[in-house]
Amino acid sequence: MRVNRRTVTELGAKADPFRDEIRVDGKLVRVPRQSTTLAFHKPLGVVTTMRDPEGRPCVGDLVASLGVRVYPVGRLDYASSGLLILTNDGELAARLMHPRYGVEREYLVKVRGAPEESALGRLARGVALGGKRRAKAEATVIRRAGEKAWLRLILREGRTHEVRRLCAAVGLAVEKLRRVRVGPLKLGTLPRGAWRALTRAELQALRKAVGLPSNEHGSPC
């Protein structure tokens, strides 16, 4: 996470301990911090940003009443819904997004087309996307309805439009996409547009999944 550095000469200046490095007479001031990590159910038609210069509905609008700064971990595109983690814990966010830690993302996907076993096998073996990079997904058919089907896809990377691009590569067009799990954290019955603080057990499980120690100072908002 970027650290801000500026000289303050007036009274009443404010600092964000999660983004600002605070020094007095050149000496670093250690500021006790409490991290906040939330599960948020992003609805369709909402941009995964805290502000949108084009005036579209965004995540920041829906959590404006929170009273603490948090930031989305990764993205869900405008036409997708589901679980989005919001946090001001920079190390946790960075590790959740880094492919080295292989954090699973689980999606329920409605596709147009009849998925053959050969297509599911291609997804499991890996499909070339963006040149030489190969992306993989564990794919299971949940339900078929004529020329459409619901799939469960599990990925270990969260690149932009990854699910849609993978499906397109094997001849399937995505009609609906909802993320239902990130690592050990599940969307569950959280309503669309709502957020909730993680329980202590959920937070510790999430930290463990990316190799971080228990954070006794972390707390819900």
Side-chain angles (χ1 to χ4, degrees):
M1 181 173 288
R2 182 174 63 85
V3 176
N4 297 325
R5 292 180 174 87
R6 63 189 175 92
T7 301
V8 176
T9 57
E10 70 278 2
L11 294 175
K14 295 181 180 181
D16 183 346
F18 288 93
R19 287 182 171 260
D20 298 333
E21 184 178 273
I22 303 169
R23 293 178 180 268
V24 178
D25 295 331
K27 295 182 179 180
L28 183 64
V29 177
R30 299 290 182 182
V31 181
R33 307 184 307 178
Q34 278 199 330
S35 61
T36 297
T37 302
L38 309 171
F40 174 69
H41 189 163
K42 188 192 91 67
L44 295 172
V46 172
V47 182
T48 307
T49 58
M50 300 311 287
R51 289 189 296 273
D52 184 64
E54 298 179 28
R56 294 171 296 181
C58 64
V59 170
D61 298 332
L62 299 178
V63 297
S65 62
L66 191 57
V68 63
R69 288 186 182 183
V70 289
Y71 305 90
V73 178
R75 292 180 179 272
L76 281 173
D77 64 40
Y78 190 78
S80 301
S81 65
L83 178 61
L84 187 66
I85 295 174
L86 306 176
T87 189
N88 50 21
D89 185 330
E91 182 64 19
L92 176 62
R95 292 195 181 203
L96 285 170
M97 290 187 288
H98 200 292
R100 177 201 308 173
Y101 298 97
V103 177
E104 290 185 347
R105 278 92 166 154
E106 182 177 336
Y107 301 84
L108 297 182
V109 188
K110 184 180 181 181
V111 296
R112 187 169 62 254
E116 302 292 340
E117 288 301 320
S118 58
L120 302 183
R122 282 187 63 198
L123 292 173
R125 292 190 300 272
V127 176
L129 296 178
K132 296 182 180 180
R133 187 179 70 82
R134 297 185 69 82
K136 298 180 180 181
E138 297 176 23
T140 307
V141 177
I142 300 174
R143 184 169 71 251
R144 296 180 186 268
E147 291 300 309
K148 298 185 180 182
W150 278 95
L151 306 179
R152 184 185 310 278
L153 265 64
I154 298 176
L155 285 71
R156 288 177 174 79
E157 290 188 42
R159 297 177 186 266
T160 305
H161 307 307
E162 189 94 322
V163 172
R164 295 178 188 276
R165 294 171 68 197
L166 279 168
C167 288
V170 296
L172 302 172
V174 172
E175 291 192 347
K176 292 183 180 180
L177 192 159
R178 183 167 79 252
R179 184 159 65 195
V180 295
R181 179 171 64 86
V182 175
L185 184 62
K186 297 180 180 180
L187 177 65
T189 58
L190 187 64
R192 292 184 185 88
W195 54 264
R196 67 171 180 83
L198 269 60
T199 66
R200 187 166 297 278
E202 287 174 328
L203 180 59
Q204 304 309 354
L206 203 59
R207 292 177 64 84
K208 183 179 179 181
V210 292
L212 287 173
S214 296
N215 182 4
E216 296 304 323
H217 299 291
S219 81
C221 65

